[in-house]
Amino acid sequence: MAHLSDSSFPITELPGVIEQLGELFEAAGFELSLVGGPVRDLFLGRVSPDLDFTTNALPDDIIALTRRWCDTYWEMGREFGTIGMRKDGFQIEITTYRSEAYDPESRKPAVAFGDRLEDDLYRRDFTMNAMALRLPQMELVDPYGGVRDLHEGIVRTPGAPSSSFSDDPLRMMRAARFASQLGVTVAPEVFDAMKDMAGRIEIISAERVRDELVKLINGKTPADGVDLLVESGLADYVLPEVASLRLEIDEHHRHKDVYQHSLTVLRQACDLETGPDGAVPAPDFVLRFAALMHDVGKPATRRFEGTGAVSFLHHDVVGAKLTAKRMKALRFDNDTIKAVSRLVELHMRFYGYGDAGWSDSAVRRYVTDAGPLLQRLHRLTRSDVTTRNRRKAERLAFAYDDLEARIEKLAEQEELAAIRPDLDGSQIMDLLGIRPGPVVGRAYRFLLEERMENGPGAPGEAEAKLREWWQQQPESAPAQERPESGSATEGMS
């Protein structure tokens, strides 16, 4: 056994709750150890607000010992031997020593409680997570070389990788997540097992895969994690659209490598995120995932033209649909799906601005279509420039600088973030003497189009335009307007 202070890693001061829990369990005759990620993080010079402990005490014993000590506790993980609680701002989980394995056809582990710390550590995913700090003695228990592997920046498993991944196939994705979060590489035998067993990821629930993917994308170097998913074959099952970006070799070099381009866009998008008080605080999953997925429509739309050129017509629209479909399969919430797929759909909108320029109405449409995603769209569009042609890159950057300047100038004159017609639905009905119905919606869209095209009008101008429009409609005869159930003005005020 080694004392924690014997390590050459920087060690931060331990929170008081760790020592308190250790003394509480020792006084009752039970073992307790800080375990897993929190121990690894201590060697990385940081303390997580989430603390995991393991013990030979059973769940009933854990509750009896801690219910008066903690601020609150819950038993949702009781069947797996885990009792959760909060104390002094820390979220704590205490789990009985256990061993668990997955049935080849099941998504749920079969749990058996154990009685030795070393056996509990052996079942864990990676050596850097198979370390424990025995309390209250502060003895480091590291039977599988976790400190060594942290020093070397290598992901290894306590036992055979195939056994570890068979127990919980999600660990293969976790290896890729660690590559993103910690900047580590996987050992050759771990990578080989990931390739051989990639198909086993299909027994894992979509929700667990999604949560692991979000952590990967929000890591320090997400492109490295994604690349490991693709190279190992895991992406064929969890992100097949990204794996498909590796188009077959083009010996005539008529188009750039779409896959490597997408990884570069992802890296550049991360670089354009802001601090906590900025417009797009890092890490921003919506921006990052849109950057990764922005070209997934290209394989389905690739065409070789007679001139020898390669085209990807409407790949933005196709890509948005593919992105939404994949995110639904991964059980993302609707708001996140809509945000990411909308960015994918809009990422080509800017191109052409530098060549032909836009009218003020086109700038208004750009801002309105982006809505609350505008700042992310700015960053995605800039990140999408990966050309090695310095003159072309400078021209595109200048054009987008100009577009942003025009947006700011128009924003000073108009409320671009919330462009609406000068009349709302109620005013339209009052002015035309009509009841709720589809005609009100058409009138509203006419006024919105006028607002987009010409900007804010003078007082009374919208009313005059509406009356003129109304005279040209076949429904302008009052007898033809019929009341309908519901209101066509919902969402128009």
Side-chain angles (χ1 to χ4, degrees), residues 270-283:
C270 293
D271 291 340
L272 291 178
E273 290 172 333
T274 66
D277 299 325
V280 184

Side-chain angles (χ1 to χ4, degrees), residues 152-209:
E152 296 178 359
I154 296 179
V155 174
R156 291 190 176 93
T157 55
S162 57
S163 297
S164 180
F165 297 156
S166 180
D167 284 348
D168 185 354
L170 190 67
R171 290 172 175 175
M172 295 184 287
M173 283 196 66
R174 197 171 298 148
R177 188 240 293 180
F178 279 17
S180 170
Q181 289 183 329
L182 303 177
V184 295
T185 58
V186 297
E189 68 274 13
V190 172
F191 180 74
D192 289 343
M194 291 170 67
K195 289 183 67 175
D196 292 343
M197 303 178 66
R200 283 275 287 156
I201 198 67
E202 290 189 301
I203 75 165
I204 301 299
S205 69
E207 290 81 1
R208 292 186 72 207
V209 170

Side-chain angles (χ1 to χ4, degrees), residues 85-125:
M85 62 195 70
R86 286 194 183 90
K87 174 70 173 179
D88 296 343
F90 289 92
Q91 183 158 309
I92 295 168
E93 288 189 350
I94 305 177
T95 302
T96 304
Y97 294 157
R98 66 189 188 188
S99 60
E100 63 188 29
Y102 275 75
D103 181 277
E105 304 304 322
S106 173
R107 293 179 175 183
K108 295 183 178 181
V111 175
F113 296 146
D115 54 16
R116 294 182 68 248
L117 173 60
E118 288 76 12
D119 294 340
D120 182 88
L121 294 178
Y122 183 79
R123 73 172 181 81
R124 294 180 180 269
D125 52 6

Side-chain angles (χ1 to χ4, degrees), residues 251-491:
E251 61 183 15
H252 300 295
H253 303 290
R254 288 177 291 187
H255 63 78
K256 58 189 172 185
D257 186 324
V258 181
Y259 171 64
Q260 290 298 331
H261 163 74
S262 297
L263 294 186
T264 299
V265 174
L266 174 57
R267 294 186 188 99
Q268 294 183 167
C270 293
D271 291 340
L272 291 178
E273 290 172 333
T274 66
D277 299 325
V280 184
D284 188 272
F285 175 81
V286 169
L287 171 61
R288 292 181 178 202
F289 201 55
L292 176 63
M293 302 291 284
H294 77 285
D295 273 349
V296 295
K298 281 190 171 179
T301 58
R302 184 173 62 160
R303 298 289 183 273
F304 292 97
E305 308 294 345
T307 60
V310 180
S311 68
F312 303 96
L313 191 63
H314 303 310
H315 78 272
D316 44 354
V317 177
V318 172
K321 292 178 180 178
L322 290 173
T323 298
K325 183 178 179 180
R326 176 54 45 195
M327 294 182 74
K328 288 176 183 176
L330 290 171
R331 304 291 193 270
F332 278 91
D333 63 276
N334 288 335
D335 288 343
T336 305
I337 293 172
K338 289 178 181 178
V340 174
S341 58
R342 184 62 167 160
L343 283 175
V344 173
E345 182 182 1
L346 293 174
H347 84 273
M348 291 294 293
R349 184 72 65 88
F350 159 73
Y351 292 94
Y353 176 85
D355 297 327
W358 285 356
S359 63
D360 284 350
S361 64
V363 175
R364 292 188 193 100
R365 292 177 197 280
Y366 188 77
V367 173
T368 303
D369 289 347
L373 298 172
L374 181 62
Q375 290 297 328
R376 290 182 174 113
L377 182 58
H378 286 335
R379 286 156 176 78
L380 176 59
T381 303
R382 289 184 180 277
S383 300
D384 196 23
V385 179
T386 62
T387 178
R388 295 180 181 179
N389 184 319
R390 186 170 61 88
R391 182 174 297 179
K392 182 179 179 181
E394 289 176 350
R395 177 174 59 81
L396 289 170
F398 177 81
Y400 208 84
D401 288 343
D402 183 66
L403 175 58
E404 286 200 61
R406 287 187 63 192
I407 290 173
E408 290 182 11
K409 184 176 180 181
L410 277 175
E412 292 175 1
Q413 304 167 359
E414 311 172 20
E415 194 178 353
L416 286 184
I419 290 181
R420 291 174 176 159
D422 294 325
L423 301 175
D424 62 26
S426 296
Q427 292 170 314
I428 290 171
M429 288 188 292
D430 290 343
L431 189 68
L432 301 183
I434 59 177
R435 298 177 182 180
V439 176
V440 181
R442 282 168 41 207
Y444 185 91
R445 289 190 291 274
F446 164 75
L447 290 175
L448 179 59
E449 187 73 17
E450 287 290 321
R451 173 69 174 79
M452 287 283 193
E453 195 66 32
N454 302 307
E461 186 175 340
E463 294 182 9
K465 288 182 177 178
L466 181 61
R467 287 194 176 95
E468 181 180 348
W469 174 86
W470 182 235
Q471 292 302 317
Q472 300 170 7
Q473 306 306 307
E475 297 91 342
S476 59
Q480 304 235 343
E481 185 68 15
R482 296 286 184 267
E484 296 192 7
S485 61
S487 174
T489 63
E490 184 177 353

